[in-house]
Amino acid sequence: LNKQPTAFAQLVEDTLETYEQGLLEKRILLKTELNPEIISYIDEDRMRQVIHNVMDNAIRYTPEGGTISVVLLQQEKMCVLRISDTGKGIPAHHVQRLGERFYRVDKARSRQNGGTGLGLAIVKQIVEVHGGALCITSKEDQGTTIAITLPMAE
Ligand code: ATP
Ligand code: MG
């Protein structure tokens, strides 16, 4: 793990740029609100992977015309990256198992959507080795919010 003080908003913005085409194709509106002053203590490459896995889900599981919002803010001595979508959501009894490897909600539906069920398990692992936390909240047919708490640089 190569943790460095990192301008997090810039990293998030750079990563989000790679989804322009995918968002356009599904007519998904992207809203961002990123505090530019946050310097987090993270491994850049791993954190790009985290953002990628969460964004990939948000786009894949949100129907056309939906909205994805990405917020970065400071909360006491940590920073929080919150990615919310207006997608199909996840039934409550599944949410707690989402950090498990290969766990998928609806195997038939998921198969046709591609994917292996590793995305969020990788997110959880990377966030936890940073001393951070992953929090998933979701409501069926309303949407999902992935909140990632990470340490700030000293
Ligand atoms: P992979 O990410 O490995 O390609 P995956 O997307 O199925 O495959 P995860 O990213 O770990 O695996 O997600 C696990 C399951 O949680 C998904 O199969 C999907 O059913 C559900 N899920 C994840 N994110 C969302 C979301 N934003 N909205 C609705 N369901 C979601
Ligand atoms: Mg995924």
Side-chain angles (χ1 to χ4, degrees):
L1 209 62
N2 177 27
K3 289 190 218 172
Q4 302 287 343
T6 305
F8 203 0
Q10 191 62 56
L11 176 82
V12 173
E13 240 166 57
D14 292 347
T15 312
L16 290 180
E17 265 179 30
T18 61
Y19 298 102
E20 249 168 58
Q21 192 60 33
L23 291 162
L24 220 64
E25 271 166 23
K26 281 191 84 172
R27 296 189 305 108
I28 292 173
L29 176 68
L30 179 68
K31 291 188 191 164
T32 56
E33 200 181 316
L34 310 173
N35 179 340
E37 281 166 16
I38 289 175
I39 309 292
S40 53
Y41 192 61
I42 55 176
D43 181 317
E44 270 196 42
D45 292 335
R46 303 288 165 95
M47 210 44 64
R48 269 198 209 97
Q49 169 96 61
V50 162
I51 298 164
H52 172 78
N53 290 5
V54 176
M55 279 300 290
D56 181 70
N57 286 346
I59 294 171
R60 196 188 296 173
Y61 303 116
T62 296
E64 281 208 19
T67 302
I68 297 174
S69 77
V70 182
V71 177
L72 176 67
L73 48 80
Q74 187 175 345
Q75 212 164 69
E76 287 162 34
K77 291 199 153 137
M78 306 287 274
C79 62
V80 182
L81 179 67
R82 213 160 46 210
I83 300 181
S84 313
D85 64 60
T86 59
K88 60 182 78 178
I90 307 165
H93 63 284
H94 288 296
V95 171
Q96 62 193 38
R97 295 197 56 190
L98 284 179
E100 293 174 21
R101 285 186 294 164
F102 307 116
Y103 191 79
R104 309 198 72 198
V105 170
D106 176 338
K107 297 203 162 49
R109 175 184 88 193
S110 299
R111 209 174 299 119
Q112 102 200 6
N113 273 323
T116 60
L118 272 172
L120 287 174
I122 292 168
V123 167
K124 185 170 194 277
Q125 204 227 326
I126 295 174
V127 169
E128 285 177 357
V129 297
H130 277 83
L134 169 70
C135 178
I136 303 171
T137 48
S138 189
K139 231 176 173 161
E140 243 185 310
D141 298 323
Q142 289 190 32
T144 301
T145 296
I146 306 288
I148 293 166
T149 305
L150 290 164
M152 310 261 289
E154 288 296 299

